[in-house]
Amino acid sequence: MRRLSEIDRDAIRVAQDANFQRWLEQITATGGCANPVHLSGSTTTLAPDTGEIFRHYDTRDEPGERLLVRCRNRRATVCPACSRLHAGGTFHLVRAGLLGGKGVPAAVRERPRLFVTLTAPSFGAVHRVGERCRPRRDGGACEHGRPLGCDVLHAPDAAVVGQPLCPDCYDYTAHVLWHAHASKLWDRFVIDVRRRLAGSVGLVQSRFAHHARLSFARVAEYQKRAAVHVHAVVRLDGPNGPDDEPPAWGTADLLINSVRTSAERVLVRTPHSPAVGELGVRWGVQIDVRPLRTDGGGLDDDAVAAYVAKYVTKGASETGAGLDHSLSTFAEIDTAPVNDHVRTLMRTCWRLGGLPEYAPLRLRAWAHTLGYRGHILTKSRVYSTTYAVLRAERADHMGHGALPDAVTERHWRYVGSGHTPGAALIAAGIADDLAESRRIGLEARQEGEWCG
């Protein structure tokens, strides 16, 4: 035993516990969650009129008198098990808005639908992947003495890709402030699309909601240069959302033109600062708008949903853009496991966050995300279903749903989180086994469909 590692010794201790089997059932129920929440308490379900108890659960009968529940963290770097569950929920959420299902009528697949990509503008030249990075015939150097071009053929995973050719020329202030206003820029963009759709058919903006509704789901993704760009599924419905057909004038071409025009023209101004001035926040010049077609002539709907679902589970360490946790002090930036470009962005966030005119932006609180303050995934209210509905359906499927015409009394308190080292090893093994089982089951179903 003395020759075993601490993790192995702890795993043996857990396995030899008298309540190990029940503990194993709890871990399996969480899907092998890497950082489960520990709860203590009880739940009683009873008839409202007679007080008859239908169901009672108390953690006093559990190992350690506690129940383990999922942490529900979406990041694969934090909890692979919960991130897979979140990815599955996101896939169904986005797919339902494209093809129907989950309470959304199948008729939405016939509506004007677009897959839109909006990027951040340039804040300075960066190394990129291509035949040659940035070839220049005349060579030349910037005012700081660094080359203006680069003739190297960079591999996609090269560390230099996304890094500025000259950090002193790069506009880190504009980069951070663009991130801080990106969500507001998206809101203005959506408003402007509605305005342009209405104006194109002779409607005043206030009447647009009486004729049509713009529905969307969008995901934010960090590029190699650590700047956010946005992928969005945009759909045009009737005034009542997916249950309504759009008006006859609501064509895909009209929607495409409105989206492109709004993306090129919409503008948000930053608060004026004596140190920085006032900046105009716009989308970058790279705008991609593709129609989603039902005849197979465009992007595949399932592929779009899978792409969005895959991205929302990525942690900061996977994208190379920031950290998965917030920073408490400026000194933490020096030891953060990030490259110099990202480190400078964090320092810029911290410096700008100390200016009173930028206090509402809370840049220091969001320094770990490089100033970006929005959610990774957002959607309009009636685009499709919600995560809450999907969780409720999953609970019903597993037999944990609420009983009709019953009252539930809950008394719970938080008593801890996480695993001991040995327990974490066992939980990771369970998570891998469950993931492999799902993979084999999916392949079997796909093979059966193909054979059929």
Side-chain angles (χ1 to χ4, degrees):
M1 288 289 287
R2 291 180 180 177
R3 295 183 179 180
L4 296 176
S5 67
E6 178 187 353
I7 295 177
D8 290 337
R9 290 198 302 271
D10 188 57
I12 293 173
R13 178 193 62 79
V14 172
Q16 290 178 337
D17 189 278
N19 294 315
F20 174 70
Q21 191 58 43
R22 175 52 187 160
W23 178 85
L24 206 60
E25 292 174 359
Q26 284 203 30
I27 296 299
T28 303
T30 67
C33 176
N35 190 40
V37 176
H38 300 203
L39 300 177
S40 177
S42 64
T43 297
T44 304
T45 303
L46 60 156
D49 48 356
T50 64
E52 177 187 357
I53 296 177
F54 296 141
R55 190 164 57 197
H56 178 74
Y57 172 81
D58 198 306
T59 57
R60 284 181 293 185
D61 300 324
E62 296 287 4
E65 297 189 0
R66 56 185 60 190
L67 173 68
L68 306 185
V69 298
R70 287 180 178 270
C71 68
R72 292 184 183 175
N73 195 297
R74 67 169 180 82
R75 297 176 177 87
T77 52
V78 177
C79 181
C82 289
S83 73
R84 283 191 286 266
L85 188 68
H86 190 84
T90 302
F91 173 81
H92 288 294
L93 185 151
V94 176
R95 186 180 187 277
L98 290 171
L99 298 174
K102 307 296 180 182
V104 180
V108 295
R109 68 182 65 190
E110 306 295 336
R111 309 278 168 81
R113 303 168 306 149
L114 310 177
F115 186 61
V116 180
T117 299
L118 306 175
T119 63
S122 173
F123 306 109
V126 299
H127 292 279
R128 57 192 179 185
V129 176
E131 293 184 0
R132 285 192 296 167
C133 177
R134 289 186 176 273
R136 287 179 64 94
R137 289 184 179 179
D138 56 351
C142 69
E143 60 180 301
H144 305 102
R146 295 185 178 90
L148 292 172
C150 175
D151 290 327
V152 178
L153 176 61
H154 298 302
D157 58 349
V160 73
V161 173
Q163 309 302 298
L165 271 66
C166 176
D168 294 317
C169 291
Y170 196 87
D171 195 344
Y172 284 98
T173 296
H175 188 145
V176 166
L177 291 177
W178 191 92
H179 271 176
H181 292 82
S183 294
K184 188 174 184 179
L185 183 63
W186 171 262
D187 292 340
R188 292 277 181 87
F189 163 74
V190 172
I191 292 171
D192 198 71
V193 171
R194 295 191 187 106
R195 180 184 295 119
R196 295 190 183 281
L197 285 171
S200 298
V201 294
L203 293 173
V204 295
Q205 183 186 359
S206 60
R207 300 294 300 173
F208 176 79
H210 296 277
H211 296 266
R213 179 188 289 267
L214 195 68
S215 300
F216 66 85
R218 64 106 174 169
V219 63
E221 178 182 2
Y222 283 89
Q223 297 170 298
K224 286 286 189 179
R225 59 187 174 124
V228 164
H229 63 175
V230 171
H231 299 295
V233 175
V234 179
R235 189 184 72 224
L236 189 64
D237 297 321
N240 294 319
D243 294 323
D244 254 359
E245 290 293 331
W249 52 258
T251 64
D253 288 340
L254 179 63
L255 184 58
I256 290 172
N257 292 335
S258 299
V259 166
R260 284 193 176 277
T261 303
S262 295
E264 292 169 356
R265 297 177 62 88
V266 71
L267 170 70
V268 172
R269 297 195 178 278
T270 67
H272 181 270
S273 167
V276 178
E278 182 184 78
L279 303 182
V281 175
R282 296 180 180 275
W283 296 112
V285 295
Q286 294 179 329
I287 299 169
D288 188 33
V289 183
R290 304 185 192 184
L292 297 172
R293 307 183 187 279
T294 57
D295 58 4
L299 294 174
D300 180 77
D301 296 306
D302 282 343
V304 170
Y307 176 83
V308 173
K310 179 180 178 180
Y311 185 75
V312 296
T313 64
K314 288 186 178 181
S317 60
E318 291 180 282
T319 61
L323 300 171
D324 288 327
H325 58 83
S326 59
L327 298 165
S328 301
T329 64
F330 181 78
E332 292 181 47
I333 298 176
D334 294 334
T335 58
V338 297
N339 59 47
D340 290 339
H341 178 54
V342 172
R343 198 182 315 279
T344 304
L345 285 166
M346 289 181 176
R347 288 171 177 159
T348 304
C349 281
W350 203 273
R351 177 175 58 82
L352 294 176
L355 300 178
E357 55 269 27
Y358 295 138
L361 301 179
R362 302 181 65 239
L363 290 174
R364 290 185 175 179
W366 295 101
H368 64 297
T369 60
L370 317 183
Y372 180 68
R373 304 182 300 141
H375 292 288
I376 290 298
L377 176 74
T378 57
K379 71 176 190 68
S380 57
R381 188 169 59 88
V382 296
Y383 168 77
S384 68
T385 186
T386 65
Y387 286 120
V389 171
L390 292 174
R391 284 196 296 269
E393 288 181 355
R394 189 162 56 246
D396 287 338
H397 177 72
M398 299 176 65
H400 301 316
L403 295 176
D405 300 324
V407 174
T408 301
E409 297 179 352
R410 299 178 178 91
H411 304 281
W412 294 97
R413 63 186 180 92
Y414 170 83
V415 293
S417 63
H419 288 300
T420 62
L425 182 65
I426 297 173
I430 291 174
D432 289 342
D433 289 344
L434 292 173
E436 180 66 10
S437 177
R438 282 192 292 269
R439 185 188 66 79
I440 293 174
L442 179 61
E443 289 180 354
R445 287 195 298 272
Q446 290 175 340
E447 183 178 347
E449 291 172 1
W450 182 80
C451 292

